[in-house]
Amino acid sequence: MNSISLKNVSKEYRDFALRDVSFTVPQGSIMGLIGENGAGKTTVLKLVLNMIRADAGRIEVFGLDHIKNEREIKEQIGVVMEESCFYEALRCKEAAAILRNLFKTWDDALFRTYAERFGLPWEKQLKEFSRGMKMKLSIAAALSHRPRLLILDEATSGLDPVVRSEILDVFLDFIQDEEHSILISSHITSDLEKVADYITFLHEGRVVLSENKDKMLYGYGILKCGEKEFARIAPEDVLRCRRSAFGYEVLTADKNAAARKYPDLTLDSAALEDVMLLMIKGETV
Amino acid sequence: MDIIISNSSGKPIYEQITSQIKSMIISGELKEGDALPSMRLLAKELRISVITTKRAYDDLERDGFIESFTGKGSFVAQKNVEFIREEQLKAAEEHLKNAVCAAKSSGISRAELEEMLRILYEE
């Protein structure tokens, strides 16, 4: 069963278009949405949340139509956007009072537990909070009505490694329940490299890749070679290549096959960041 | 039960998990019927994705080291000593093949090679 499924979703703006976006988030998994700034990550999340309307395509959440069953779906989703959405003059306890009336399933005790775990001061105004504290508050608020699905937009960007690691722990805790899933957009690929099960890679409003993360990490490889050797590489083995003054970097989809075929060339494994860079900056042959 | 994951080893993480669990089973540290941690717990503790631990457990199950039951979890399978021995034998043969290859390519005699093996085995 899928928590989220998008089929051929398109959305046109004057200067940007999301075209034919399809991917699914299987139940019990973490899907990482990667792509450069402006690739359309936030647009996709807003479409799923029905904050904007798609021009074409179909979006389902928990197998239900995301517009017709919006209320039912939203009771079961926790959302964290990049910026804190709370009024700056509020304190934690006041934020809790507002949220209590918003969700049927709001759990005050759980919110307190998260606030304590994250070290959030109960009586301090939010404008005094650091960026990390605000993000933790947003996450605590998103989790305290016991959602089945978390949708996060750049939740770990701009945070220090210690806070990022704490937040990743929360995600891993959340996913202990096999019915829970997470859709998270980020351009910090190293975070996703650790915890995501699947990766969807957006570029200029299109899905470039949507795959099992391990397949990507252990399948893709980068061949490094000079001009002469590059001529020997079969075009079907070259996904993208990048040329510098002193040689070529070639992204290949099957590292093991490349190792057998070109045993004398230098072959590195590709991190998500390398795949992202070469897919965007590289050329096809 | 200790599982150590190295990020700098070229070996995929799922292989690091399977090889360590296999050696624990072969050495008897994990006994027949022992419960393994759930895939989700293992992923959380190692801070890796569930899909990686699932791959590791699937491989272990395929190779007959563990058995999984829906809703109950994974357990060390009835130890098939013959089977494990066979696997180790195959691995040893593979390494010896490489040794023979290396010897032949640089003119090391069979006698020299056998002598080397004798010394290594008795170490």
Side-chain angles (χ1 to χ4, degrees), chain A residues 151-273:
Chain A
I151 295 181
L152 308 112
D153 194 13
E154 302 287 357
T156 55
S157 327
L159 303 180
D160 69 65
V162 179
V163 176
R164 286 214 317 266
S165 144
E166 280 174 24
I167 290 177
L168 289 185
D169 275 338
V170 175
F171 295 166
L172 286 164
D173 266 338
F174 179 72
I175 214 76
Q176 291 298 301
D177 186 326
E178 286 170 40
E179 285 187 6
H180 289 177
S181 349
I182 301 180
L183 173 61
I184 173 171
S185 84
S186 181
H187 51 243
I188 303 185
T189 51
S190 59
D191 286 347
L192 296 177
E193 219 158 76
K194 282 190 202 129
V195 300
D197 297 305
Y198 300 92
I199 297 288
T200 295
F201 173 21
L202 282 174
H203 175 52
E204 289 176 349
R206 288 171 194 272
V207 175
V208 183
L209 285 169
S210 185
E211 235 177 321
N212 177 321
K213 181 198 69 184
D214 277 3
K215 239 191 207 156
M216 255 170 105
L217 286 184
Y218 302 129
Y220 287 69
I222 297 174
L223 283 163
K224 295 183 174 163
C225 59
E227 182 117 37
K228 242 186 271 157
E229 288 100 4
F230 181 71
R232 272 200 294 134
I233 300 177
E236 67 264 24
D237 295 331
V238 180
L239 210 55
R240 292 284 191 285
C241 65
R242 194 150 74 144
R243 196 199 159 137
S244 78
F246 303 107
Y248 282 87
E249 279 181 307
V250 179
L251 182 68
T252 174
D254 191 341
K255 186 167 66 180
N256 296 327
R260 282 193 299 274
K261 227 163 148 183
Y262 315 107
D264 51 327
L265 301 187
T266 307
L267 181 64
D268 277 354
S269 39
L272 278 185
E273 203 173 287

Side-chain angles (χ1 to χ4, degrees), chain A residues 58-61 63-70 73:
Chain A
R58 190 171 165 73
I59 301 173
E60 283 181 359
V61 183
L64 304 168
D65 184 277
H66 82 304
I67 297 175
K68 229 187 322 178
N69 303 292
E70 186 174 359
I73 289 168

Side-chain angles (χ1 to χ4, degrees), chain A residues 36 201 203-204 240-243 249 251 273-284:
Chain A
E36 78 272 32
F201 173 21
H203 175 52
E204 289 176 349
R240 292 284 191 285
C241 65
R242 194 150 74 144
R243 196 199 159 137
E249 279 181 307
L251 182 68
E273 203 173 287
D274 303 321
V275 176
M276 191 166 140
L277 269 173
L278 272 160
M279 288 303 278
I280 295 173
K281 293 284 179 197
E283 296 158 25
T284 49

Side-chain angles (χ1 to χ4, degrees), chain B residues 36-54:
Chain B
L36 287 152
S38 81
M39 285 186 265
R40 277 169 201 276
L41 180 72
L42 189 64
K44 184 187 150 200
E45 294 300 320
L46 295 176
R47 307 183 62 123
I48 55 176
S49 61
V50 176
I51 212 156
T52 307
T53 52
K54 185 171 186 317

Side-chain angles (χ1 to χ4, degrees), chain B residues 67-78:
Chain B
E67 287 173 308
S68 299
F69 304 96
T70 333
K72 273 172 123 183
S74 302
F75 302 87
V76 176
Q78 217 173 32

